[in-house]
Each structure stands twice: as structure tokens, then as C-alpha cells.
């Protein structure tokens, strides 16, 4: 059985989550909008999940809007709010997920201007540049809580204070942070937050936008008026039920999971450093599960492929577009050279990982590096 070390991409379904979902894939198939008992059962299940998510985030149920995924929630915040406000500037960090950066850029068609906020060489938002960015009239600011590649955690609390002083609506994408570090909605001080089910051992097909009650958005999808009119379309009941259970588990397991993952991460980093790895993020500022590194002269894609053959699933930092491998935009924004960025690989740990997985992974990595370097030296002769 291959060892999965790519939990920032997606997570497996927790057994407890699956158990909770099964009734809604069977007899509990009703449409939550129906007035009969089948509908009522489905509706109650959704409301229960809503309160589980609210409980995990410290907000009230009425603040949780279900979407189909994190990308949709990010789109809903930016586009839904932009269509309600007078066009101004939308500011976001240079390392946002494309569902933020591309949504923001699409607002140019309706008269908005965009401003990317710089990050430093460690992947941290440059606070001076953030202050400068919002010194001109700005409608919205979006900065992620934790980055999917580097795992670096931003000081969203300080950014939201800056935004509030200027009366700017502030959003954070907490998709990667949820379940890995402790936080809640009120203490971050943001007006909106995105989370996603499949990153916290829930099913794919559910996400949520958590909203400050003072925020008014226009929906992206019009129709039957589900989710208080903010997201029409018959709800994915089973996925939402699973999301609710996963959110509760994420909250209750976070502390224990973080400390066990942090120990494994430390071992990984020490051993990889010994093999000559260069790291892209500051361990102290990164999620407890994420290690992002490269070996000079080895393409990230090559290492991912070789490790896959050895039975280990990791990710490269490169994005494939139109058949060409592009270095990670996050690393380029951090000032990493394109050559070094092409070598980036990410190991992201999960609850199921054990010390034995780490030991086996490191052994396979040693063998792979030896093989690749002896191939390279043979090619040079
Ligand atoms: N935001 C971040 C930081 C992510 O890492 C991801 C997914 O990788 C998303 C948003 C999108 O979430 P989803 O896959 O639920 O659309």
C-alpha cells in the first residue's frame, strides 16, 4: 500500500464521517426544500451540520453559508461583494490560491482595480506593503491564513485590524489552516472566511463561506433561494453532513494531531537537511504538517515521479499549464529563482502518518537521490 504524504491536496474520508453520511446516501435522500418528512429529515441534517461548523469556528449558525467547495466560497466572497459595492480596489497577497487571484482579476471587467501585496523571502506578507496597498480607496482585502505550498501562517489578526481601521471588508482563506492550527472566526477579526470539507477528512463537494452579519453579498447562482438566497441549488446533503462531522473532529483533534505531526515534521526536516535539501519556508511560521524543499539540480516533477514509483505520494510545487511545467507562482513571489523553484517538492502530513512512514520515506528518498545522482554522473562521463 503506497504511503500518502499529500494531505494539503486532499485528505481521505474519516470513518466516522463516512458513517454519518451513509444514511443520506440511502433512505435519507429527501430534498431539504420539500415540505414532507423526507424533506424535513434532510433539512434538519443540514442545520445540524451548520451548527457543528459554527461550533468549530466559534460563530453562529446563521453565519455559515454552504457552497460546493472552497473555490466557490472564495469566488462568492469576491464576486458577490464586488457586485454589491461601488468599484474600487481589491487587494490580496501575491500568494493567494487561484480561486482568489483569478476571481479578483476577473473583477477588472466591472471596473475594479487589483493590487497584489508583496511577500518576503520566507513567504510572509510584507506588512508595510499591505499598509501601502490599502492607503488608496479599497473595497476588499483577502489574505490567506495558511499557504497551501509553504504552509506559512500569516498574521491575519493584524491585517484585519488594519482593514477595519480603513473600513475595508476583510476575508481570509482558511482552507489549509482549519484543523491544523487553533483559531476561531471572531478572534481573527475578519468579515469573511473560507473553509473546505475535503481538506479536513470530510468529503469532496462541500465548502463554506462564514460571514459577518453586516456583510451583504449578491449570489453567484440564482434559483430556488437556498442558503438564505446566497447559494441556490439543491444542497449536497450527504456531503454537508460529512463536512459538519469533519469540522467537529478537526476541532477536537487539532491539538493532538498538530503536536504529533510537528514531531514527525522535525524528523523529516533534520534528515532532509542532512541529505542536502534547501527549505523554502521558516519552520516556525509554517503549519505543523508541511515541509517544502528542493535538492539542487533535481526537477520537482522527477522527484515526485521517482518517489511515486517507490510507493510515496508527495507533490511538486510546479503547475502544469499548456503542457509546460511552470515554477510555483508562490515561490517566484517569494523571490526564489525559477531554477530552484522548479525543484520544489512538498510533503504534507496527516493524522494517519506514523514514524514508520517517515523512516520509510526517508530511506526511499536516500535511495532515489543516490540513483539520480549516479545517473547524472554517468551522463556526464
Ligand atoms: N484555498 C486554498 C489555500 C487551497 O489550498 C485550496 C485547495 O487546494 C482551495 C482554496 C480550494 O479549495 P477546494 O479544493 O475546496 O475548491
Amino acid at each position: 500500500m503506497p504511503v500518502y504524504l499529500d494531505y494539503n491536496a486532499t485528505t481521505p474520508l474519516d470513518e466516522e464521517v463516512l458513517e454519518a453520511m451513509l444514511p443520506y446516501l440511502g433512505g435519507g435522500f429527501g430534498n431539504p426544500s420539500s415540505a414532507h418528512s423526507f424533506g424535513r429529515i434532510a433539512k434538519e441534517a443540514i442545520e445540524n451540520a451548520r451548527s457543528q461548523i459554527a461550533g468549530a469556528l466559534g460563530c453562529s449558525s446563521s453565519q455559515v453559508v454552504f457552497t460546493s467547495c472552497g473555490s466557490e466560497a472564495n469566488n462568492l466572497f469576491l464576486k458577490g461583494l464586488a457586485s454589491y459595492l461601488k468599484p474600487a480596489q481589491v487587494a490580496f497577497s501575491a500568494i493567494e490560491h487561484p480561486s482568489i487571484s483569478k476571481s479578483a482579476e476577473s473583477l477588472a471587467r466591472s471596473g475594479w482595480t487589483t493590487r497584489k501585496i508583496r511577500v518576503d523571502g520566507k513567504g510572509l506578507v510584507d506588512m508595510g506593503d499591505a499598509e501601502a496597498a490599502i492607503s488608496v480607496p479599497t473595497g476588499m482585502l483577502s489574505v490567506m491564513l495558511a499557504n497551501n505550498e509553504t504552509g506559512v501562517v500569516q498574521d491575519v489578526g493584524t491585517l484585519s485590524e488594519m482593514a477595519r481601521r480603513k473600513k475595508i471588508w476583510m476575508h481570509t482563506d482558511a482552507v489549509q489552516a482549519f484543523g491544523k492550527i487553533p483559531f476561531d472566526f471572531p478572534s481573527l477579526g475578519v468579515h469573511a472566511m473560507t473553509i473546505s470539507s475535503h481538506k479536513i477528512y470530510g468529503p469532496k463537494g462541500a465548502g463554506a463561506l462564514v460571514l459577518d452579519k453586516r456583510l451583504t453579498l449578491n449570489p453567484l447562482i440564482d434559483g430556488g433561494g437556498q442558503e438564505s438566497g446566497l447559494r441556490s441549488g439543491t444542497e449536497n446533503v450527504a456531503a454537508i453532513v460529512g463536512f459538519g462531522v469533519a469540522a467537529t473532529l478537526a476541532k477536537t483533534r487539532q491539538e493532538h494531531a498538530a503536536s504529533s505531526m510537528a514531531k514527525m515534521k522535525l524528523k523529516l526536516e533534520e534528515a532532509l537537511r542532512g541529505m542536502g535539501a534547501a527549505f523554502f519556508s521558516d519552520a516556525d511560521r509554517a503549519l505543523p504538517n508541511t515541509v517544502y524543499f528542493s535538492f539542487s539540480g533535481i526537477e520537482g516533477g522527477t522527484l515526485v515521479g521517482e518517489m511515486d514509483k517507490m510507493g510515496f505520494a508527495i507533490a511538486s510545487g510546479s503547475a502544469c499549464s499548456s503542457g509546460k511545467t511552470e515554477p510555483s507562482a508562490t515561490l517566484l513571489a517569494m523571490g526564489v529563482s525559477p531554477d530552484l523553484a522548479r525543484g520544489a517538492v512538498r510533503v504534507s502530513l496527516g493524522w494517519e502518518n506514523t514514524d514508520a512512514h517517515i523512516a520509510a520515506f526517508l530511506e526511499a528518498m536516500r535511495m532515489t537521490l543516490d540513483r539520480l545522482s549516479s545517473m547524472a554522473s554517468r551522463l556526464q562521463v
Side-chain angles (χ1 to χ4, degrees):
M1 182 74 175
V3 175
Y4 189 73
L5 297 166
D6 195 14
Y7 286 81
N8 285 8
T10 195
T11 56
L13 205 58
D14 189 278
E15 275 187 25
E16 236 179 274
V17 171
L18 177 62
E19 283 284 298
M21 289 171 68
L22 286 175
Y24 301 94
L25 293 165
F29 63 87
N31 184 329
S33 299
S34 298
H36 45 63
S37 62
F38 289 84
R40 271 197 305 281
I41 289 170
K43 178 83 184 149
E44 271 165 28
I46 288 179
E47 293 319 312
N48 183 45
R50 202 186 305 283
S51 77
Q52 286 170 317
I53 287 174
L57 294 175
C59 60
S60 77
S61 294
S62 59
Q63 293 178 267
V64 178
V65 179
F66 286 119
T67 60
S68 65
C69 58
S71 298
E72 187 191 329
N74 282 343
N75 274 258
L76 176 59
F77 172 76
L78 286 176
K79 295 176 183 169
L81 185 55
S83 77
Y84 191 80
L85 300 176
K86 268 205 253 120
Q89 174 177 264
V90 48
F92 53 100
S93 85
I95 55 167
E96 293 301 309
H97 188 265
S99 53
I100 287 290
S101 53
K102 290 190 179 167
S103 292
E105 279 149 18
S106 80
L107 298 180
R109 289 194 289 273
S110 45
W112 284 74
T113 55
T114 54
R115 169 67 155 87
K116 271 191 194 173
I117 300 168
R118 281 198 298 268
V119 294
D120 65 16
K122 291 182 167 176
L124 274 172
V125 164
D126 176 334
M127 288 297 185
D129 196 43
E131 190 91 61
I134 61 171
S135 65
V136 303
T138 302
M140 303 180 272
L141 171 63
S142 183
V143 175
M144 66 200 335
L145 188 51
N147 184 267
N148 39 306
E149 288 177 43
T150 60
V152 168
V153 178
Q154 305 295 340
D155 185 355
V156 169
T158 300
L159 287 160
S160 73
E161 267 170 38
M162 275 163 54
R164 277 173 189 269
R165 276 201 297 275
K166 303 252 175 193
K167 303 215 175 332
I168 296 166
W169 297 110
M170 166 91 198
H171 166 263
T172 193
D173 174 345
V175 164
Q176 290 293 343
F178 194 21
K180 297 175 189 147
I181 54 169
F183 66 88
D184 59 33
F185 184 75
S187 61
L188 284 179
V190 294
H191 300 102
M193 175 189 282
T194 293
I195 53 170
S196 173
S197 161
H198 76 101
K199 308 286 186 181
I200 58 162
Y201 304 79
K204 291 159 186 71
L209 184 65
V210 182
L211 289 173
D212 184 311
K213 286 189 182 129
R214 285 164 299 167
L215 205 58
T216 312
L217 307 181
N218 283 320
L220 303 182
I221 303 174
D222 290 307
Q226 288 90 342
E227 294 300 303
S228 311
L230 283 172
R231 208 289 184 173
S232 285
T234 303
E235 298 88 337
N236 186 348
V237 180
I240 290 172
V241 165
F243 189 14
V245 175
T248 306
L249 293 175
K251 178 81 177 173
T252 51
R253 291 179 180 168
Q254 184 273 319
E255 201 178 328
H256 179 70
S259 89
S260 90
M261 291 191 301
K263 283 185 202 132
M264 288 188 273
K265 173 175 158 163
L266 208 65
K267 279 190 194 151
L268 260 178
E269 281 177 336
E270 264 172 33
L272 290 170
R273 191 169 290 114
M275 295 179 210
F279 295 89
F280 294 116
S281 49
D282 186 343
D284 298 339
R285 295 303 307 242
L287 293 171
N289 79 320
T290 308
V291 186
Y292 200 29
F293 59 97
S294 76
F295 290 103
S296 154
I298 303 178
E299 288 267 338
T302 305
L303 208 48
V304 169
E306 292 300 312
M307 290 304 287
D308 189 35
K309 285 187 217 154
M310 306 275 288
F312 297 89
I314 59 172
S316 84
S318 310
C320 243
S321 61
S322 6
K324 266 181 38 199
T325 308
E326 300 291 344
S328 143
T330 295
L331 291 178
L332 297 184
M334 286 162 60
V336 174
S337 75
D339 272 354
L340 197 57
R342 273 195 194 87
V345 284
R346 179 189 69 193
V347 172
S348 50
L349 306 170
W351 294 340
E352 288 98 340
N353 289 134
T354 59
D355 286 343
H357 290 154
I358 303 303
F361 168 79
L362 289 168
E363 184 52 30
M365 182 62 93
R366 260 183 219 106
M367 286 161 66
T368 302
L369 292 175
D370 284 350
R371 200 169 54 249
L372 291 176
S373 71
S374 70
M375 268 165 58
S377 50
R378 253 184 281 135
L379 286 175
Q380 275 163 12
V381 213

